[in-house]
Amino acid sequence: MRDGDIDRGTPESKAGRTVSLVVDGAMVEVPEGTSIMRAASMAGFQIPKLCATDSLGAFGSCRLCLVEIDGRAGTPASCTTPVAQGMVVRTQTERLKKLRRGVMELYISDHPLDCLTCAANGDCELQDMAGAVGLREVRYGYDGDNHLADVKDQSNPYFTYDPSKCIVCSRCVRACEEVQGTFALTIGGRGFESRVAASANVPFLESECVSCGACVQACPTATLIEKSVAEIGTPERTVATTCAYCGVGCSFNAEMRGDEVVRMTPSKNGKANSGHSCIKGRFAWGYAQHKDRILKPMIRASIDEPWREVTWDEAIAHTASEFKRIQAAYGHGSVGGITSSRCTNEETFVVQKMVRAAFGNNNVDTCARVCHSPTGYGLKTTFGTSAGTQDFVSVEQADVIVVIGANPTDGHPVFASRMKRRLREGAKLIVIDPRRIDLVHMPHVEASYHLALKPGTNVAVLTAMAHVIVTEGLIDQDFVATRCDGDAYAEWAAFVSDASRSPEATEAATGVPAAQLRGAARLYAAKGRNGAIYYGLGVTEHSQGTTAVMAIANLAMATGNIGREGVGVNPLRGQNNVQGSCDMGSFPHELSGYRHISDAATRALFEAAWGVSLDDEPGLRIPNMLDAAVDGHFKGLYVQGEDIAQSDPDTKHVVDGLKAMECVVVQDLFLNETANYAHVFLPGSTFLEKDGTFTNAERRIQRVRKTMAPKNGFGDWEITLKLSEALGYPMPYAHPSEIMDEIARLTPTFAGVSYEKLDELGSVQWPCNDKAPEGTPVMHRAGFARGKGLFVLTEYVATEEKIGPRFPLLLTTGRVLSQYNVGAQTRRTSNSLWHTEDRLEIHPHDAEQRGITDGAWVKLASRSGETSLRAQVTDRVAPGVVYTTFHHPNTQANVVTSEYSDWATNCPEYKVTAVQVMPSNGPTDWQRDYERHSVASRRVVEAAE
Ligand code: SF4
Ligand code: SF4
Ligand code: SF4
Ligand code: FES
């Protein structure tokens, strides 16, 4: 049992009514529908089992869990037999013991007897069950037909499949179906020939398997086992922590041997993931030990010089003196900082505190600027809170699910598995996306509607859906009358009802057939059903990103789909701590808890606590910092855990800005692209090396726990503290828990949060305060945070980024399952086997017109720049649309993205760029330079080592 929990064999019954029964003389009361196996476990008796586990439905194949029931003939399997009122069960009789030993004998007679050298020795349910049933000898011998010579499949980089150890219990097959929803495994053959097969019996790496690890987790033997266990040995201690990749925020147990991670196993108690994981959190943690990691501080006088390793004291003193010099020469506002959505809440909080208190200005921004800032602005305006409304488990009660501008199976895979389960149960799906994402059509999931809109027309589509809902009388009148601002609603209803906003009138602009759009709107608004909207960066990263978020909020309010389970507006956050970095006051105009810096009462609270006076003017956003740098007014930047040279739009402008600065400080794990323009490099620490908290997309605050000492010497929070002290503003926290205590004192939505509470409850969803001491899974139940919900007019304004004869195609971007953002971590793991390069998806029609074949090099050019990559000819994208990922720095999709951005928040318009695609001979000049440069900088680092 990897979770430290008891495996009760079958899932919990959700029935409200209970029944009582007697198991081995003990009375036990359990919900109706509970299996006898689970009831016995609740009574304290663990019935031997092999094919049962409580994360999967009962199967009843191994016959080890037999019991006797008074008044019933035979010995039924306890995992598949439900309890009944008054039932009397016996789990340990002589007859049962004999039967169980007989079953185990058969299993063991076809199993290698290499327990002592087996990687799972001590962590094997087959071994445990042999002991539990008292098996001491095998009467049949080992000479008959067996599978002992079957060959091991080692193709997957992370786990092996050894068929000689397989007991054909089907737990792996069921895990792949029920938990992950990929259906990659089957039991092939019949009887003695039965064997687990991946896809059409191909090696795992070539199959449909997405390496989520659910089958490995479910396997009771060493048949499916992590390679790291074989290499390092069985774990000796466990530390509960949180995945540092995406905004799902899966809970994991870091299983350790000494200070080495043996494996990361998903926690059954994790409220965001309920024991599931994806390839990144489960397996892609090796980057923490990668040789490219920089562990010693480095400085250089100019970016043309080689790096020089220095002590921490020298690096910090040099940085502080540079920032002081710059401020003396160019003024207080000439420096700023960028916080990271990859770092902990506590680290983010101290960076913004240092900027405001030690730099003495509000020039702090965060990488959320370039992803979900429109979510904050849009939901704050309409609902009153800058966050999603639900917990993840809410989707299990949704009847209609709308996925817009998100690709959950790649971007948020563990939540996607939960969503797919609900869809297999019969919920309807509407996908609004220019690209045919996997969810549109996959095993046992079929979207009712796929509105393949033209990139950049979200607002027109969402407003046309509102048109249908209003003009066809699908409004939830009660909800609107009691919960929303009446005047704003009336104005909005008149606005959307205008014929110019109908599906028919907007069809030409959006590319969505009017009939389809009407059908989707009717489905979402159907009375008596729960409609839930999930959206991602395909909504926010537009010039009208904020407008689209508000259009989504309008739809939810108009249909009464807010304030209960199964509904809501749910931003799927990209990075692990996007929500948290925004909550912590990382934006230049807001202190923690989204309180405006111009509010005198809020400022007074912080001024009293911090002992400084705060500037009441909002500071510079990232794009403004870069503009000011190019203009010569902004000279110093502290960047923690963010690679603006690769992830921000219009790379040339970013680079020009960085080059114009006199002191760029990068604090990160690796020498990233931004570090090419840095003067100080401060090595960062991984999530395995520090304490803190992350806040996931459901507002769930979860602990990150230190599993080993920081390899660079310090957690990131400690480095910021050192710098702040050197600047003359000491922040004497002894532990991140003290930072959280301060956050709680100063932030009403975090008032009840402490490490003690998080340890006690496992996690807490904010708001957490006197009114909601254990947190708030579903928001806006009785009323909106702002009082009445506010409908906002959402006029569609076409982006300035227009196609034309020179640039006739629209480029949109996204990510793949195996890689993460700019790939700094995942490219340094075996995940690269699945995605070795960024490719350009292009429709066969567009490819043929240009003489482009699948796999050929193409040049991708826009008004901002050009790059080359290889083409993938596919009808996943519509004619006129091309798509690529941005995981590899030698492709740099952001070289071509434009400078346009969201009107309210400056979030860049990554998702729409007018481009031309043409055949090419290979990489462009800058790409060749890049390769040369990165080889050179690797050499510099190696020399320094
Ligand atoms: S691989 Fe493991 S889980 Fe799958 S059938 Fe074999 S023993 Fe059972
Ligand atoms: S790793 Fe996941 S996707 Fe692959 S076979 Fe196992 S359960 Fe299925
Ligand atoms: S879904 Fe996200 S949080 Fe969960 S394991 Fe994968 S990357 Fe980590
Ligand atoms: S555990 Fe019940 S039949 Fe296998």
Side-chain angles (χ1 to χ4, degrees), residues 33-231:
T34 301
S35 69
I36 292 177
M37 175 178 279
R38 189 175 180 93
S41 173
M42 312 280 285
F45 305 106
Q46 308 309 326
I47 300 174
K49 60 181 174 53
L50 277 173
C51 70
T53 184
D54 58 13
S55 58
L56 303 171
F59 193 57
S61 69
C62 75
R63 308 299 297 164
L64 198 62
C65 67
L66 311 176
V67 291
E68 291 177 2
I69 303 172
D70 278 9
R72 286 202 201 173
T75 50
S78 62
C79 61
T80 50
T81 310
V83 295
Q85 180 61 37
M87 199 178 237
V88 177
V89 178
R90 266 179 294 279
T91 71
Q92 292 289 340
T93 66
E94 286 312 311
R95 177 166 68 142
L96 292 172
K97 287 179 190 166
K98 200 166 159 206
L99 285 169
R100 287 181 192 145
R101 273 199 289 270
V103 169
M104 279 307 294
E105 253 184 301
L106 286 171
Y107 278 123
I108 299 297
S109 67
D110 186 11
H111 196 85
L113 296 179
D114 61 353
C115 282
L116 282 182
T117 51
C118 176
N121 188 19
D123 184 23
C124 170
E125 290 181 45
L126 188 70
Q127 203 177 46
D128 294 346
M129 289 307 123
V133 304
L135 185 69
R136 295 289 169 259
E137 59 174 337
V138 174
R139 288 166 295 167
Y140 313 116
Y142 302 96
D143 299 332
D145 282 349
N146 59 49
H147 300 88
L148 302 182
D150 288 4
V151 179
K152 212 188 248 191
D153 175 357
Q154 310 223 47
S155 61
N156 187 292
Y158 297 122
F159 60 84
T160 52
Y161 167 61
D162 180 353
S164 73
K165 296 187 168 161
C166 180
I167 58 170
V168 202
C169 65
S170 223
R171 274 163 64 161
C172 54
V173 178
R174 289 178 286 139
C176 194
E177 293 176 5
E178 295 175 29
V179 179
Q180 165 57 22
T182 291
F183 296 82
L185 301 180
T186 48
I187 301 288
R190 299 175 79 98
F192 181 77
E193 301 302 327
S194 300
R195 252 29 217 154
V196 173
S199 295
N201 208 6
V202 296
F204 267 77
L205 190 62
E206 293 165 28
S207 74
E208 284 134 334
C209 166
V210 294
S211 292
C212 70
C215 56
V216 181
Q217 187 80 354
C219 182
T221 64
T223 312
L224 286 162
I225 191 164
E226 299 89 349
K227 285 183 175 172
S228 54
V229 177
E231 283 156 16

Side-chain angles (χ1 to χ4, degrees), residues 117 127 141 190 216 313 460 490 512 630 654 667 728 838 868 926:
T117 51
Q127 203 177 46
R190 299 175 79 98
V216 181
D313 285 347
V512 176
V630 171
V654 176
Q667 184 171 321
D838 294 320
S868 282
W926 78 255

Side-chain angles (χ1 to χ4, degrees), residues 513-696:
Q516 273 196 40
L517 194 146
R518 281 190 181 274
R522 288 172 194 142
L523 179 59
Y524 170 66
K527 295 257 178 337
R529 288 185 174 182
N530 287 335
I533 303 179
Y534 295 85
Y535 71 89
L537 303 183
V539 163
T540 55
E541 289 178 342
H542 288 274
S543 58
Q544 283 202 291
T546 296
T547 317
V549 171
M550 295 194 289
I552 287 171
N554 290 340
L555 286 180
M557 288 189 288
T559 53
N561 277 314
I562 285 286
R564 62 181 190 279
E565 283 80 10
V567 298
V569 172
N570 304 277
L572 294 172
R573 309 289 189 148
Q575 308 199 70
N576 53 325
N577 202 32
V578 178
Q579 181 69 55
S581 71
C582 298
D583 299 342
M584 292 299 104
S586 291
F587 289 128
H589 65 290
E590 281 172 341
L591 289 156
S592 62
Y594 304 97
R595 288 159 301 158
H596 207 279
I597 192 79
S598 63
D599 179 62
T602 304
R603 262 199 337 277
L605 184 71
F606 281 82
E607 285 172 343
W610 294 353
V612 291
S613 92
L614 295 173
D615 192 345
D616 62 356
E617 284 287 323
L620 298 175
R621 298 170 172 181
I622 296 171
N624 308 131
M625 293 182 204
L626 293 165
D627 291 346
V630 171
D631 292 346
H633 312 307
F634 189 87
K635 294 288 184 184
L637 183 64
Y638 171 65
V639 192
Q640 186 180 78
E642 164 73 344
D643 188 3
I644 56 172
Q646 194 183 344
S647 63
D648 282 33
D650 197 354
T651 311
K652 184 176 177 311
H653 182 62
V654 176
V655 167
D656 288 346
L658 289 169
K659 279 183 171 170
M661 295 184 206
E662 293 181 9
C663 184
V664 174
V665 182
V666 168
Q667 184 171 321
D668 216 313
L669 301 177
F670 305 104
L671 271 179
N672 59 20
E673 298 310 300
T674 308
N676 289 329
Y677 310 98
H679 308 84
V680 179
F681 187 89
L682 304 176
S685 52
T686 71
F687 76 112
L688 295 166
E689 299 163 2
K690 58 199 179 190
D691 282 303
T693 56
F694 293 150
T695 307
N696 77 353

